[in-house]
C-alpha cells in the first residue's frame, strides 16, 4: 500500500504451470504480518503481528479499486488447508487459464 498499511506483506510470490495439466497455473506465496523488510539506515518498524484473515489475488487491478464488481480477483487458500490462523501463512491457488481474462 502506498500510504496506509492494509494488511500482511507478501513474500516469495511464485507462479508455476501445473505439471499435470498445462491449462492450469499455481500461484503461491508467503503472507506475513510478523515479518517486514526494513531498509538499512532507517529506523526499525514493527508489524501488527495480527492473525491473517484472508489473502486475495488481484490481476490487472489495484486492490483500492475493488468496488465488488471486479471479476479478476481470487481468494487464496492456506496450504495446510486449515483456516487462516497464524501471523504467517503459506498460501496458494490453482487457476485454470480459462478463468484468466485475456
Amino acid at each position: 500500500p502506498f500510504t496506509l498499511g492494509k494488511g500482511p506483506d507478501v513474500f516469495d510470490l511464485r507462479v508455476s504451470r501445473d505439471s499435470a495439466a498445462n491449462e492450469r497455473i499455481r500461484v503461491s506465496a508467503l503472507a506475513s504480518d510478523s515479518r517486514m523488510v526494513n531498509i538499512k539506515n532507517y529506523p526499525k518498524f514493527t508489524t501488527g503481528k495480527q492473525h491473517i484473515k484472508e489473502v486475495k489475488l488481484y490481476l490487472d487491478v489495484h486492490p483500492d479499486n475493488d468496488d465488488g464488481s471486479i471479476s479478476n480477483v481470487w481468494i487464496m487458500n492456506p496450504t495446510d488447508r486449515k483456516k487462516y490462523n497464524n501471523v504467517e501463512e503459506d498460501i496458494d491457488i490453482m487457476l485454470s487459464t480459462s478463468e484468466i481474462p485475456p
Side-chain angles (χ1 to χ4, degrees):
F2 300 111
T3 58
L4 299 173
K6 292 194 175 185
D9 290 325
V10 174
F11 297 89
D12 198 23
L13 181 67
R14 297 177 302 270
V15 178
S16 59
R17 186 177 288 175
D18 181 21
S19 59
N22 283 336
E23 65 274 354
R24 294 187 339 164
I25 61 169
R26 178 179 183 218
V27 180
S28 58
L30 170 67
S32 176
D33 200 41
S34 65
R35 199 186 298 191
M36 189 172 165
V37 177
N38 282 298
I39 302 169
K40 187 177 179 179
N41 298 325
Y42 277 81
K44 296 286 184 193
F45 295 100
T46 59
T47 66
K49 293 188 181 176
Q50 299 175 40
H51 284 220
I52 297 168
K53 302 275 188 213
E54 183 176 73
V55 177
K56 292 181 180 179
L57 172 66
Y58 288 85
L59 180 65
D60 292 335
V61 65
H62 192 279
D64 285 348
N65 296 332
D66 184 0
D67 62 2
S69 66
I70 296 170
S71 61
N72 47 336
V73 59
W74 299 269
I75 297 173
M76 297 184 74
N77 304 303
T79 57
D80 63 7
R81 299 301 177 234
K82 297 178 183 175
K83 291 182 179 181
Y84 285 101
N85 57 1
N86 288 305
V87 296
E88 282 195 1
E89 295 282 354
D90 286 306
I91 52 175
D92 72 352
I93 191 168
M94 288 291 257
L95 298 173
S96 167
T97 54
S98 64
E99 293 178 73
I100 301 171

